[in-house]
Amino acid sequence: MDYMMQILPSLLNGLKMTIGVFVLTLIGSVPLGMLISLALRSDIYLLKWVMNAYVWVMRGTPLLLQIVFVYYGLSLANIMTLPRFEAAVITFILNYAAYFAEIFRGGIQSIPQGQYDGAQVLGLSKFQTMWKIIFPQVTKIVMPSVGNEVVNLVKDSSLVYVIGLGDLMRAGNIAASRDVTLVPYLLVGLIYLILIALATLIQRRMEKKMNFYR
């Protein structure tokens, strides 16, 4: 017990980094995913083709490889050199935006054409139609899928160790290697389970509220 209390501060410091990556990724990737989902349905062929290619690349290559490419690859190619944290957050946002875009596109496609026709009769613009009529319905439809991606994001955040960020997983790995014990890994696993439980609880409450106001 004394040992657990001894290593807990370092794990909590790593947890701050993990939560930072998680929160900033959600803030950036969800709205970006919404915009990309609209671009995927655009009548402009070039824009639609570029967005489809972007989604294909982001979903078709490992997130770990993308992190390494953004942090090391861009620097080696003399394009730009990003700090570790910024490189990780940008990569996570770009990756998860692609997944959210596909989720939102599927939700938009599930809305009957009559909803669009009714909005047109009411004299609403395309923007008003999407913002006031389509997206509120889409949000209810895609909430379970978005929740699954949020859970994946909690776990994927551990990948930032590859570029040396002091996240929760890295803190546990350092303690385990230094003290030759599995206790830090057990604590790390417990903390991740707590984070996922909280994310799941929040998701279910949001779903209940949305069903209540349906």
Side-chain angles (χ1 to χ4, degrees), residues 1 14 34 46 110 116 154-155 197 207 209:
M1 188 66 180
M34 289 182 178
L46 180 59
S110 68
Y116 296 92
V154 173
K155 295 180 290 184
E207 289 179 1
K209 286 185 177 181

Side-chain angles (χ1 to χ4, degrees), residues 59-183:
R59 298 181 68 199
T61 55
L63 177 56
L64 182 61
L65 177 63
Q66 295 169 16
I67 295 172
V68 171
F69 177 81
V70 171
Y71 181 65
Y72 294 108
L74 296 180
S75 179
L76 291 174
N78 293 321
I79 297 175
M80 67 174 64
T81 300
L82 292 171
R84 287 183 173 86
F85 183 75
E86 285 79 355
V89 170
I90 289 172
T91 307
F92 269 81
I93 289 175
L94 293 176
N95 178 274
Y96 270 84
Y99 284 92
F100 285 134
E102 283 296 288
I103 291 173
F104 283 115
R105 178 167 69 167
I108 293 172
Q109 289 176 342
S110 68
I111 303 299
Q113 181 60 38
Q115 298 284 327
Y116 296 92
D117 296 337
Q120 188 175 6
V121 170
L122 293 173
L124 298 180
S125 65
K126 288 185 177 180
F127 175 80
Q128 290 174 323
T129 300
M130 295 302 300
W131 183 253
K132 295 183 178 180
I133 296 179
I134 304 303
F135 269 125
Q137 298 179 69
V138 169
T139 302
K140 295 180 183 180
I141 294 170
V142 305
M143 184 56 68
S145 298
V146 170
N148 290 336
E149 290 302 321
V150 170
V151 170
N152 288 334
L153 175 57
V154 173
K155 295 180 290 184
D156 283 348
S157 62
S158 63
L159 295 177
V160 299
Y161 81 90
V162 74
I163 56 175
L165 277 178
D167 72 315
L168 175 61
M169 188 64 194
R170 182 175 173 83
N173 188 39
I174 291 173
S177 300
R178 180 190 64 218
D179 303 325
V180 194
T181 174
L182 293 177
V183 173

